[in-house]
Amino acid sequence: MARIYQAASMGEAHIRVAIVSRGDADLLVHRVSSWGSAKGDALWFITRDKQDPTCWIYAVSQGMADVKICFVDSYGEAGWQKESRFKGRFA
């Protein structure tokens, strides 16, 4: 399950992400409203608690990003669009 914490600095983060348009994204992400609904790499529950997350991210420019993401409105759209060495690292 992907419980995500947005780190305050790049050094704290496990993965650097860039928020991009859908066509440029490696991963389409759907934000869920409950901890239990977070599944796999693509259904994210974003937490403010540093003790909860499975992954810490930091938002950067496209050139510095490990993974380019785009937030989508439905569960069905969420998922990997391109192969990535970070597959499985958000959950």
Side-chain angles (χ1 to χ4, degrees), residues 49-72:
D49 186 349
K50 289 184 177 184
Q51 306 306 315
D52 277 347
T54 56
C55 183
W56 290 32
I57 63 167
Y58 186 75
V60 296
S61 66
Q62 281 192 49
M64 294 183 66
D66 297 318
V67 178
K68 294 180 273 182
I69 65 167
C70 177
F71 287 98
V72 294

Side-chain angles (χ1 to χ4, degrees), residues 2 4-5 8 29 31 42 54 61 63 67-68 75 78 88:
I4 307 298
Y5 178 78
V29 173
R31 188 172 174 183
T54 56
S61 66
V67 178
K68 294 180 273 182
Y75 286 86

Side-chain angles (χ1 to χ4, degrees), residues 67-88:
V67 178
K68 294 180 273 182
I69 65 167
C70 177
F71 287 98
V72 294
D73 294 328
S74 73
Y75 286 86
E77 296 175 290
W80 286 98
Q81 303 302 296
K82 301 173 184 168
E83 283 301 314
S84 173
R85 66 186 178 100
F86 291 93
K87 203 173 213 177

